Amino acid sequence: MIAELQCVILDCPDPQSLAEFYRSLLGGNVNQQDRRWALDEGWATLHTPSGLVLAFQRALNHVPPRWPDPTRPQQFHLDLGVPDLDRAQEEVLAAGGTLLDDSDGRGWRVYADPAGHPFCLVRH
């Protein structure tokens, strides 16, 4: 092993809003003091209860992925484990997420965050 994962960083048009969206899904603290990152209007962080840190970086002229369109691929996505897909979906939609594929019967559903990044809710 030569490295340790510090955080996952998502490009987006509005870092603070996207950090708040993911806080509503995962819990944790937005813009918690951390010696590793300086916070400003172009950067926000979310320290989750599990220890994972997500960061959100302003990208001018951000062009979101368009799942499942191969001309604008997702490049990566997050899988978020939930005990109840229906209840979790209500909360995702209320927080500003968009349902992309309900995939009934498969145990997972695909959504987009407010900046267009795909993510999945997976029943665990």
Side-chain angles (χ1 to χ4, degrees):
M1 180 176 101
I2 62 168
E4 179 179 296
L5 180 64
Q6 294 283 307
C7 72
V8 175
I9 302 165
L10 299 166
D11 285 353
C12 61
D14 185 347
Q16 185 68 34
S17 292
L18 201 55
E20 293 292 344
F21 171 80
Y22 279 102
R23 184 200 52 74
S24 74
L25 303 183
L26 302 171
N29 299 308
V30 171
N31 292 337
Q32 175 178 308
Q33 290 289 18
D34 189 315
R35 65 176 171 70
R36 296 172 290 183
W37 301 287
L39 300 171
D40 61 33
E41 60 191 44
W43 180 268
T45 61
L46 173 64
H47 288 71
T48 68
S50 70
L52 174 69
V53 178
L54 295 176
F56 308 92
Q57 177 175 269
R58 184 178 320 282
L60 298 176
N61 304 313
H62 173 70
V63 178
R66 190 178 305 144
W67 185 90
D69 182 350
T71 64
R72 292 196 14 215
Q74 62 183 327
Q75 299 176 12
F76 85 99
H77 71 272
L78 302 172
D79 280 354
L80 310 177
V82 298
D84 183 326
L85 282 171
D86 293 330
R87 183 170 180 200
Q89 177 170 305
E90 289 175 12
E91 293 182 34
V92 165
L93 298 177
T98 304
L99 178 65
L100 298 178
D101 182 352
D102 64 8
S103 306
D104 279 338
R106 293 191 297 198
W108 52 271
R109 297 178 188 159
V110 183
Y111 302 83
D113 68 25
H117 304 106
F119 67 93
C120 295
L121 293 182
V122 180
R123 184 179 13 246
H124 67 87

